[in-house]
Amino acid sequence: MKIRVNEFLFSVAYYPWILFWMFTSTYLKDTLHPYGLLNIWEYLGVLCIILKFGLQKTINAKSLLLVPITILVAFFVSKDNGNASFVFYSFLLIVAASDLEFDRIVKWTMILQILSMSITVLLSLVNIIPNELFVSFAGGFLRNRYGLGYIFPTFAPNFFFSIVIEYIYFRFSKIKWIEYLFIAGLNIFFYQMTGTRVTFILVFAMLLLEYFFRNRLKLIVNSVPYSYVSMAALTYLLTELYNPGNSLFSKLNLILSQRLRFAQQGLQTWGISLFGTSIQWNSEAASYNYVDFSYINILISYGLIVFIIVIAGYTITGTLCKRENNIALAMVLWIWAIRASVDPQLFLLWFNPFLLLIGRGLFSKRKVENDFNSLYVQRQDSIGR
């Protein structure tokens, strides 16, 4: 297989970087020292990305205007903000990926997620690394939750959820019952071990959506341009209106494992600024303050400008997706829009390679249309259209 120079340079900058990030949430970090590797690798990655930009033969006027502005904003967001230190590098990757084959990036990201998660979980089950037991109180009862080699119980099921989303992207409308049962079995395993209720529910809901909507595709495709705007607006509205004294809000907050309460506290404590706020997140039960909602987390941590760029990028991508009738991508974009309303992984490339699509929507419109159209043609037979 012939690999182009621009693909090679992006691969060097991207794949090791996300792999190191995958291990930062595991107990292998004490052996592999991924944060140290990240600090070193980002220098090499920036050099590769600069070389890739330098080798481009043509630059369209839109990119010439928007790319420097976006990167400048990302620099100010990352500067002196410990929680957003990766934002600048992430935007460099988003821009660099805008002219590359997207399916290949998703495939190799999924392979690395499977590899890192399998190594971590298996090593924890044979007691080579800690399989720490966490005891939490929720819904009126105590829960025993195992970390499966991760530093917190939610990481393993959330990586599993990302893998399932990517699997559905490639196998949309072709998934057989044995595949459903295998995914369901793993989902039950992760729930039994980690007690992560929201992810457990979302995985099953996603499987049902894929099965029942494969023959009701028009609604999914036609509504995808509005998915991120609508879900972000709904999340923000519910957060602002949350009232613990209201029985409906109280039940919803309970179902969401206190996410509404902490999101509202986050907005009240830190507010929204243009370039975000450096926050010391705390996951200890006695002083827990983490904001799980991606939309609210981005607004608080990375600021209003990054939030607008992300929502605008996904909205443009959804519009192009609708225009080219890309069914599989429309389903995945909706799944991530919904997931972002309850979980914090929307802007984390090691969880969500579909974030790279905002670069295609914002900086390379013609290329997005061509790619979407080719994907649609390739999948026409499998969806019976």
Side-chain angles (χ1 to χ4, degrees):
M1 182 185 298
K2 186 177 180 180
I3 299 177
R4 295 179 297 173
V5 174
N6 62 344
E7 289 179 345
F8 172 76
L9 292 171
F10 174 82
S11 297
V12 171
Y14 175 72
Y15 295 115
W17 186 78
I18 60 167
L19 183 62
F20 298 152
W21 270 110
M22 290 172 194
F23 282 114
T24 60
S25 55
T26 77
Y27 280 106
L28 284 166
K29 64 185 175 64
D30 299 326
T31 302
L32 300 177
H33 305 291
Y35 284 113
L37 292 171
L38 282 166
N39 290 334
I40 296 170
W41 204 265
E42 285 181 359
Y43 288 106
L44 176 62
V46 169
L47 178 61
C48 288
I49 292 170
I50 291 172
L51 286 173
K52 180 183 179 300
F53 290 155
L55 292 173
Q56 285 187 208
K57 295 180 180 179
T58 59
I59 302 176
N60 61 61
K62 185 172 69 169
S63 294
L64 197 61
L65 174 65
L66 293 179
V67 168
I69 294 174
T70 301
I71 292 177
L72 187 62
V73 167
F75 172 79
F76 281 112
V77 169
S78 294
K79 186 176 181 291
D80 301 322
N81 187 340
N83 293 314
S85 59
F86 59 87
V87 170
F88 174 69
Y89 193 82
S90 296
F91 268 114
L92 288 178
L93 291 171
I94 288 168
V95 173
S98 62
D99 62 344
L100 300 179
E101 184 184 338
F102 179 67
D103 275 18
R104 182 180 296 174
I105 297 172
V106 176
K107 182 184 75 173
W108 283 104
T109 301
M110 182 174 69
I111 290 171
L112 291 178
Q113 288 169 341
I114 293 171
L115 179 66
S116 62
M117 190 178 74
S118 299
I119 290 172
T120 302
V121 172
L122 289 173
L123 289 179
S124 75
L125 292 177
V126 297
N127 297 316
I128 292 178
I129 60 175
N131 185 12
E132 190 171 350
L133 173 63
F134 297 78
V135 179
S136 63
F137 182 81
F141 58 92
L142 291 173
R143 290 186 294 168
N144 290 331
R145 312 175 67 188
Y146 290 93
L148 294 176
Y150 289 89
I151 59 177
F152 199 72
T154 58
F155 281 107
N158 274 307
F159 272 116
F160 171 68
F161 190 14
S162 292
I163 292 165
V164 175
I165 292 173
E166 291 145 17
Y167 187 79
I168 284 180
Y169 174 67
F170 288 115
R171 293 283 297 160
F172 181 75
S173 82
K174 297 182 289 185
I175 300 178
K176 302 184 184 303
W177 279 107
I178 189 66
E179 295 168 84
Y180 283 122
L181 292 173
F182 182 71
I183 294 171
L186 285 176
N187 194 34
I188 293 170
F189 165 77
F190 282 115
Y191 175 68
Q192 290 291 331
M193 294 296 292
T194 69
T196 308
R197 294 178 301 172
V198 174
T199 302
F200 174 73
I201 294 169
L202 286 175
V203 169
F204 274 123
M206 179 176 59
L207 294 178
L208 290 172
L209 279 172
E210 195 280 336
Y211 181 77
F212 286 108
F213 277 93
R214 60 172 58 178
N215 296 317
R216 299 172 179 83
L217 303 174
K218 190 173 182 180
L219 176 62
I220 295 292
V221 176
N222 288 344
S223 61
V224 73
Y226 319 107
S227 55
Y228 287 84
V229 171
S230 60
M231 292 308 301
L234 177 62
T235 304
Y236 183 82
L237 186 64
L238 288 174
T239 302
E240 284 285 2
L241 294 178
Y242 169 66
N243 178 4
N246 181 288
S247 60
L248 182 61
F249 274 114
S250 180
K251 290 178 181 176
L252 181 60
N253 185 51
L254 185 63
I255 293 170
L256 293 174
S257 302
Q258 303 298 313
R259 282 170 167 84
L260 267 175
R261 176 165 69 92
F262 289 117
Q264 188 181 78
Q265 287 179 2
L267 282 176
Q268 292 171 347
T269 303
W270 298 291
I272 300 171
S273 63
L274 287 179
F275 298 106
T277 303
S278 183
I279 302 165
Q280 184 65 46
W281 297 119
N282 196 325
S283 59
E284 296 294 329
S287 53
Y288 189 90
N289 67 352
Y290 193 76
V291 175
D292 283 281
F293 299 162
S294 285
Y295 302 116
I296 307 300
N297 193 307
I298 291 171
L299 275 171
I300 294 171
S301 297
Y302 315 149
L304 182 61
I305 299 178
V306 168
F307 175 82
I308 291 172
I309 291 171
V310 171
I311 300 301
Y314 273 119
T315 299
I316 295 169
T317 300
T319 302
L320 297 171
C321 179
K322 174 185 175 181
R323 183 182 303 169
E324 299 301 333
N325 201 32
N326 189 324
I327 315 299
L329 184 57
M331 173 66 75
V332 165
L333 288 175
W334 254 117
I335 291 168
W336 264 108
I338 295 168
R339 182 183 185 182
S341 67
V342 293
D343 280 332
Q345 294 88 16
L346 182 65
F347 198 83
L348 307 181
L349 281 167
W350 50 100
F351 281 99
N352 178 23
F354 297 94
L355 177 66
L356 295 171
L357 286 172
I358 71 172
R360 298 184 160 212
L362 289 170
F363 311 125
S364 187
K365 182 177 179 180
R366 179 183 60 82
K367 182 67 176 177
V368 176
E369 290 172 346
N370 289 345
D371 282 358
F372 283 5
N373 186 58
S374 66
L375 288 171
Y376 168 62
V377 170
Q378 291 167 14
R379 292 184 171 124
Q380 272 185 318
D381 294 337
S382 68
I383 61 178
R385 297 181 69 84

